[in-house]
């Protein structure tokens, strides 16, 4: 471990992460969509240019709520890696690996589980929310309660200093810091690094129904949707309800299609969209078609790359990632075993 000066708990600018080791995990729960691309992946593409990055597929985390039906798990892992690489994560630059290829994660999880008080986990808002919302499944298990402990093992095993995550993950990162401090208190300083969250505030992408884009809401535009499917999904978007005819003036500030233009359309053209809409010179149908063109321009190279990626190539990427991360993991786990005096 390279003990560096410690960072604040939460960073908001990627510039604050300069020179630090970055690590983040993705749960394999299905195809990625525009919300993932703009909210998170684009920020991670930028980080891989300037930082030593580890991106991994958290397949064990998928088991914490989905242990009963694992029929799609392997396919979801392959799909996720294909989406990430197609979107631009570069296996030559960043280390891309699968959690379950690294048994040291499970060993570290065990040690951390020994010292983590139940109360810290019972207070975790994600766990409480899952108990409420997934009431049809038996979710009150050690594994689900221990989700943040496993996440702490992921991060600290690889000496992750900066962890790019969404706001919803901040409680988990806080627990991770507390666990690292408790380990130091019990066995001595210097065994694990205390990680910082990087909340880079990527764009919030809305679905056609005005809710946050999410696979479970059925409002997602997936990265590998065909161009015509993208256009069709965009046609469903609700625009200004008072703009009924083409010539009615519209209010871009309340229109989710306009919000998407802001994300996908060149700034000069966005100004034209805004002016024409307000002047009643632009119909919603044409406006959505123009948006579809711009979204498709961004998705074209991603779709092409994804179609080229075969399962063999994905397997090679994960094997190479595992080969690269293993020495890092071995060093940490040996340090921790010594610290515990095993
Ligand atoms: N909990 C994260 C999520 O749901 C996934 C994850 C697992 C993760 N382990 C991690 C993220 C380690 C960052 C670091 O998105």
């Amino acid at each position: 471990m390279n003990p560096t000066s410690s960072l604040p708990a939460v960073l908001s600018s990627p510039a604050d992460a300069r020179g630090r080791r970055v690590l983040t995990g993705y749960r394999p729960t299905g195809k990625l969509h525009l919300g993932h691309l703009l909210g998170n992946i684009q920020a991670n593409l930028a980080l891989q240019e300037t930082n030593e990055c580890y991106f991994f597929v958290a397949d064990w985390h998928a088991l914490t709520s989905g242990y009963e039906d694992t029929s799609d798990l392997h396919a979801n892992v392959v799909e996720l890696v294909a989406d990430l690489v197609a979107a631009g994560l570069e296996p030559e630059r960043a280390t891309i690996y699968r959690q379950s290829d690294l048994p040291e994660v499970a060993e570290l999880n065990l040690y951390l589980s020994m010292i983590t008080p139940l109360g810290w986990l019972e207070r975790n808002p994600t766990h409480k929310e899952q108990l409420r919302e997934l009431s049809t499944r038996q979710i009150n298990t050690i594994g689900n309660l221990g989700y943040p402990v496993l996440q702490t093992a992921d991060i600290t095993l690889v000496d992750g200093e900066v962890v790019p995550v969404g706001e919803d993950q901040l409680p988990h990162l806080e627990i991770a810091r507390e666990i690292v401090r408790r380990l130091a208190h019990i066995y001595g300083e210097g065994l694990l690094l205390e990680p910082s969250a990087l909340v880079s505030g990527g764009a919030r992408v809305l679905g056609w129904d005005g809710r946050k884009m999410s696979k479970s809401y059925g409002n997602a535009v997936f990265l590998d949707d065909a161009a015509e499917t993208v256009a069709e999904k965009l046609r469903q978007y609700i625009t200004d309800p008072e703009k009924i005819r083409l010539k009615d003036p519209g209010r871009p500030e309340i229109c989710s299609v306009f919000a998407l233009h802001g994300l996908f359309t060149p700034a000069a053209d966005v100004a034209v969209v805004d002016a024409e809409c307000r002047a009643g010179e632009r119909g919603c149908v044409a406006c959505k078609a123009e948006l579809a063109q711009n979204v498709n321009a961004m998705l074209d190279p991603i779709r092409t790359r994804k179609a080229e990626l075969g399962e063999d190539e994905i397997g090679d990427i994960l094997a190479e990632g595992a080969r690269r991360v293993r020495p890092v993991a071995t060093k940490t786990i040996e340090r921790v075993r010594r610290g515990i005096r095993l």
Side-chain angles (χ1 to χ4, degrees), residues 40 56 74 86 121 129-130 132 148 191 196 206 208 213 217 220 265 269-271 295 303-304 320 324 327 329 338 342:
N40 158 306
F56 73 97
H74 178 75
L121 303 174
E129 185 186 309
Q130 289 204 341
R132 267 198 316 275
L191 296 182
S196 302
L206 299 182
W208 64 269
M213 187 174 283
Y217 293 155
T265 301
D269 299 342
V270 176
V295 172
R303 282 188 287 250
T304 308
E320 170 63 15
R324 289 213 300 253
R338 271 198 309 277
L342 285 166

Short mmCIF file of all heavy atoms in Angstrom, two decimals, residues 40 56 74 86 121 129-130 132 148 191 196 206 208 213 217 220 265 269-271 295 303-304 320 324 327 329 338 342:
data_model
loop_
_atom_site.label_atom_id
_atom_site.label_comp_id
_atom_site.label_asym_id
_atom_site.label_seq_id
_atom_site.Cartn_x
_atom_site.Cartn_y
_atom_site.Cartn_z
N ASN A 40 -23.19 8.26 -15.44
CA ASN A 40 -22.08 7.63 -14.76
C ASN A 40 -20.95 7.21 -15.70
O ASN A 40 -19.79 7.53 -15.48
CB ASN A 40 -22.67 6.44 -13.98
CG ASN A 40 -21.69 5.36 -13.64
OD1 ASN A 40 -20.99 4.84 -14.49
ND2 ASN A 40 -21.61 5.04 -12.38
N PHE A 56 -15.29 -3.16 -12.00
CA PHE A 56 -15.58 -4.58 -11.89
C PHE A 56 -17.07 -4.86 -11.90
O PHE A 56 -17.89 -3.99 -11.60
CB PHE A 56 -14.91 -5.19 -10.65
CG PHE A 56 -15.57 -4.80 -9.37
CD1 PHE A 56 -16.50 -5.64 -8.77
CD2 PHE A 56 -15.28 -3.61 -8.75
CE1 PHE A 56 -17.13 -5.28 -7.60
CE2 PHE A 56 -15.90 -3.24 -7.58
CZ PHE A 56 -16.83 -4.08 -7.00
N HIS A 74 -25.24 -15.21 -15.47
CA HIS A 74 -24.07 -15.25 -16.35
C HIS A 74 -24.30 -14.38 -17.59
O HIS A 74 -23.43 -13.59 -17.98
CB HIS A 74 -23.73 -16.68 -16.76
CG HIS A 74 -22.57 -16.75 -17.69
ND1 HIS A 74 -21.27 -16.55 -17.27
CD2 HIS A 74 -22.51 -16.92 -19.03
CE1 HIS A 74 -20.46 -16.61 -18.31
NE2 HIS A 74 -21.18 -16.84 -19.39
N ALA A 86 -18.35 -1.43 -25.01
CA ALA A 86 -18.89 -0.75 -26.20
C ALA A 86 -19.03 0.75 -25.93
O ALA A 86 -18.78 1.57 -26.80
CB ALA A 86 -20.24 -1.36 -26.58
N LEU A 121 -25.34 -1.78 10.05
CA LEU A 121 -25.95 -2.32 8.84
C LEU A 121 -27.47 -2.21 8.90
O LEU A 121 -28.13 -1.97 7.89
CB LEU A 121 -25.54 -3.78 8.66
CG LEU A 121 -24.02 -4.00 8.61
CD1 LEU A 121 -23.69 -5.49 8.58
CD2 LEU A 121 -23.41 -3.29 7.40
N GLU A 129 -35.00 -0.03 2.79
CA GLU A 129 -35.86 0.15 1.62
C GLU A 129 -36.15 -1.19 0.95
O GLU A 129 -37.28 -1.47 0.54
CB GLU A 129 -35.16 1.10 0.65
CG GLU A 129 -35.98 1.50 -0.55
CD GLU A 129 -35.14 2.33 -1.53
OE1 GLU A 129 -34.51 3.31 -1.09
OE2 GLU A 129 -35.10 1.97 -2.72
N GLN A 130 -35.13 -2.03 0.85
CA GLN A 130 -35.33 -3.34 0.21
C GLN A 130 -36.30 -4.21 1.02
O GLN A 130 -37.11 -4.92 0.46
CB GLN A 130 -34.00 -4.05 0.03
CG GLN A 130 -33.16 -3.40 -1.04
CD GLN A 130 -32.16 -4.35 -1.65
OE1 GLN A 130 -31.85 -5.38 -1.07
NE2 GLN A 130 -31.66 -4.00 -2.82
N ARG A 132 -38.72 -3.18 2.71
CA ARG A 132 -40.06 -2.67 2.41
C ARG A 132 -40.52 -3.07 1.02
O ARG A 132 -41.63 -3.55 0.83
CB ARG A 132 -40.05 -1.12 2.48
CG ARG A 132 -40.43 -0.55 3.82
CD ARG A 132 -40.83 0.93 3.70
NE ARG A 132 -39.94 1.72 2.87
CZ ARG A 132 -38.81 2.29 3.29
NH1 ARG A 132 -38.43 2.15 4.54
NH2 ARG A 132 -38.06 3.01 2.46
N PRO A 148 -23.08 -3.79 2.41
CA PRO A 148 -22.03 -2.76 2.48
C PRO A 148 -20.68 -3.31 2.94
O PRO A 148 -19.64 -2.71 2.64
CB PRO A 148 -22.57 -1.76 3.52
CG PRO A 148 -24.03 -2.08 3.66
CD PRO A 148 -24.17 -3.53 3.37
N LEU A 191 -3.59 -0.99 7.59
CA LEU A 191 -3.98 -2.24 6.91
C LEU A 191 -4.80 -1.95 5.67
O LEU A 191 -4.60 -2.56 4.63
CB LEU A 191 -4.76 -3.14 7.87
CG LEU A 191 -3.95 -3.65 9.09
CD1 LEU A 191 -4.80 -4.57 9.95
CD2 LEU A 191 -2.68 -4.35 8.65
N SER A 196 -12.76 7.51 -0.51
CA SER A 196 -13.64 8.67 -0.67
C SER A 196 -14.61 8.42 -1.81
O SER A 196 -14.24 7.79 -2.81
CB SER A 196 -12.82 9.92 -1.02
OG SER A 196 -11.87 10.16 -0.02
N LEU A 206 -34.48 11.56 -17.89
CA LEU A 206 -35.86 11.15 -17.61
C LEU A 206 -36.39 10.26 -18.72
O LEU A 206 -35.98 10.37 -19.87
CB LEU A 206 -36.75 12.39 -17.46
CG LEU A 206 -36.37 13.34 -16.33
CD1 LEU A 206 -37.35 14.50 -16.24
CD2 LEU A 206 -36.29 12.62 -14.98
N TRP A 208 -39.92 8.60 -20.82
CA TRP A 208 -41.05 9.23 -21.53
C TRP A 208 -42.15 9.67 -20.57
O TRP A 208 -42.91 10.60 -20.85
CB TRP A 208 -41.65 8.24 -22.55
CG TRP A 208 -42.24 7.01 -21.93
CD1 TRP A 208 -41.60 5.84 -21.67
CD2 TRP A 208 -43.58 6.85 -21.46
NE1 TRP A 208 -42.44 4.94 -21.06
CE2 TRP A 208 -43.68 5.54 -20.92
CE3 TRP A 208 -44.72 7.67 -21.44
CZ2 TRP A 208 -44.86 5.04 -20.37
CZ3 TRP A 208 -45.89 7.17 -20.88
CH2 TRP A 208 -45.95 5.87 -20.36
N MET A 213 -35.15 7.66 -15.65
CA MET A 213 -35.04 6.51 -16.55
C MET A 213 -34.54 5.29 -15.78
O MET A 213 -33.54 5.35 -15.07
CB MET A 213 -34.09 6.81 -17.72
CG MET A 213 -34.08 5.71 -18.76
SD MET A 213 -33.12 6.09 -20.24
CE MET A 213 -34.21 7.20 -21.11
N TYR A 217 -38.89 0.74 -14.50
CA TYR A 217 -40.06 1.55 -14.85
C TYR A 217 -40.51 1.30 -16.29
O TYR A 217 -41.51 1.87 -16.74
CB TYR A 217 -39.79 3.04 -14.69
CG TYR A 217 -39.56 3.52 -13.28
CD1 TYR A 217 -38.82 4.66 -13.02
CD2 TYR A 217 -40.12 2.84 -12.19
CE1 TYR A 217 -38.62 5.12 -11.73
CE2 TYR A 217 -39.91 3.29 -10.90
CZ TYR A 217 -39.17 4.42 -10.67
OH TYR A 217 -38.98 4.88 -9.40
N ALA A 220 -36.90 2.87 -20.35
CA ALA A 220 -35.49 3.04 -20.68
C ALA A 220 -35.22 2.94 -22.18
O ALA A 220 -35.84 2.13 -22.88
CB ALA A 220 -34.66 1.98 -19.95
N THR A 265 -27.95 17.25 -28.15
CA THR A 265 -27.95 18.10 -29.34
C THR A 265 -26.90 19.19 -29.17
O THR A 265 -26.77 19.74 -28.06
CB THR A 265 -29.37 18.70 -29.51
OG1 THR A 265 -30.29 17.62 -29.66
CG2 THR A 265 -29.47 19.63 -30.71
N ASP A 269 -27.63 24.26 -31.87
CA ASP A 269 -28.93 23.74 -32.32
C ASP A 269 -29.97 23.77 -31.21
O ASP A 269 -31.16 23.95 -31.47
CB ASP A 269 -28.77 22.31 -32.85
CG ASP A 269 -27.82 22.23 -34.04
OD1 ASP A 269 -27.57 23.29 -34.65
OD2 ASP A 269 -27.33 21.13 -34.34
N VAL A 270 -29.52 23.60 -29.97
CA VAL A 270 -30.47 23.66 -28.84
C VAL A 270 -31.12 25.04 -28.79
O VAL A 270 -32.32 25.17 -28.54
CB VAL A 270 -29.77 23.33 -27.50
CG1 VAL A 270 -30.74 23.49 -26.34
CG2 VAL A 270 -29.22 21.91 -27.52
N ALA A 271 -30.32 26.06 -29.04
CA ALA A 271 -30.86 27.43 -29.04
C ALA A 271 -31.94 27.58 -30.11
O ALA A 271 -32.96 28.25 -29.89
CB ALA A 271 -29.72 28.43 -29.25
N VAL A 295 -29.54 11.36 -30.75
CA VAL A 295 -29.30 10.24 -29.83
C VAL A 295 -28.66 9.09 -30.61
O VAL A 295 -27.67 8.49 -30.16
CB VAL A 295 -30.62 9.79 -29.15
CG1 VAL A 295 -30.40 8.52 -28.34
CG2 VAL A 295 -31.18 10.90 -28.27
N ARG A 303 -23.44 0.76 -30.55
CA ARG A 303 -24.13 -0.42 -31.09
C ARG A 303 -23.19 -1.25 -31.96
O ARG A 303 -23.16 -2.48 -31.86
CB ARG A 303 -25.32 0.02 -31.95
CG ARG A 303 -26.53 0.43 -31.15
CD ARG A 303 -27.72 0.65 -32.06
NE ARG A 303 -27.59 1.88 -32.83
CZ ARG A 303 -28.35 2.97 -32.63
NH1 ARG A 303 -29.29 2.96 -31.72
NH2 ARG A 303 -28.17 4.04 -33.36
N THR A 304 -22.42 -0.56 -32.79
CA THR A 304 -21.51 -1.27 -33.69
C THR A 304 -20.48 -2.06 -32.89
O THR A 304 -20.26 -3.24 -33.14
CB THR A 304 -20.78 -0.25 -34.61
OG1 THR A 304 -21.77 0.56 -35.22
CG2 THR A 304 -19.94 -0.95 -35.65
N GLU A 320 -8.03 -11.37 -18.43
CA GLU A 320 -6.90 -10.43 -18.36
C GLU A 320 -7.07 -9.49 -17.15
O GLU A 320 -6.11 -9.21 -16.43
CB GLU A 320 -6.81 -9.64 -19.68
CG GLU A 320 -5.86 -8.46 -19.70
CD GLU A 320 -4.40 -8.84 -19.47
OE1 GLU A 320 -4.07 -10.05 -19.58
OE2 GLU A 320 -3.61 -7.93 -19.16
N ARG A 324 -4.57 -9.11 -13.90
CA ARG A 324 -3.93 -7.86 -13.47
C ARG A 324 -4.27 -7.47 -12.03
O ARG A 324 -3.47 -6.87 -11.33
CB ARG A 324 -4.36 -6.72 -14.42
CG ARG A 324 -3.74 -6.84 -15.79
CD ARG A 324 -3.46 -5.47 -16.40
NE ARG A 324 -4.65 -4.67 -16.57
CZ ARG A 324 -5.22 -4.42 -17.75
NH1 ARG A 324 -4.70 -4.90 -18.86
NH2 ARG A 324 -6.29 -3.67 -17.82
N PRO A 327 -2.43 -9.65 -8.23
CA PRO A 327 -1.29 -9.30 -7.37
C PRO A 327 -1.63 -8.19 -6.37
O PRO A 327 -1.12 -8.21 -5.24
CB PRO A 327 -0.22 -8.82 -8.35
CG PRO A 327 -0.71 -9.13 -9.72
CD PRO A 327 -2.15 -9.52 -9.65
N ALA A 329 -4.58 -7.71 -5.02
CA ALA A 329 -5.41 -8.34 -4.00
C ALA A 329 -4.56 -9.18 -3.04
O ALA A 329 -4.76 -9.16 -1.83
CB ALA A 329 -6.47 -9.21 -4.67
N ARG A 338 -1.63 -10.76 8.26
CA ARG A 338 -0.55 -10.48 9.22
C ARG A 338 -1.05 -9.57 10.33
O ARG A 338 -0.79 -9.79 11.50
CB ARG A 338 0.64 -9.81 8.52
CG ARG A 338 1.66 -10.78 7.95
CD ARG A 338 3.00 -10.07 7.66
NE ARG A 338 2.86 -8.85 6.87
CZ ARG A 338 2.77 -8.84 5.52
NH1 ARG A 338 2.81 -9.97 4.83
NH2 ARG A 338 2.64 -7.70 4.88
N LEU A 342 -3.02 -13.98 12.00
CA LEU A 342 -3.48 -15.34 11.68
C LEU A 342 -2.28 -16.24 11.47
O LEU A 342 -1.24 -15.79 10.98
CB LEU A 342 -4.33 -15.31 10.41
CG LEU A 342 -5.72 -14.72 10.62
CD1 LEU A 342 -6.36 -14.40 9.28
CD2 LEU A 342 -6.61 -15.68 11.38
#
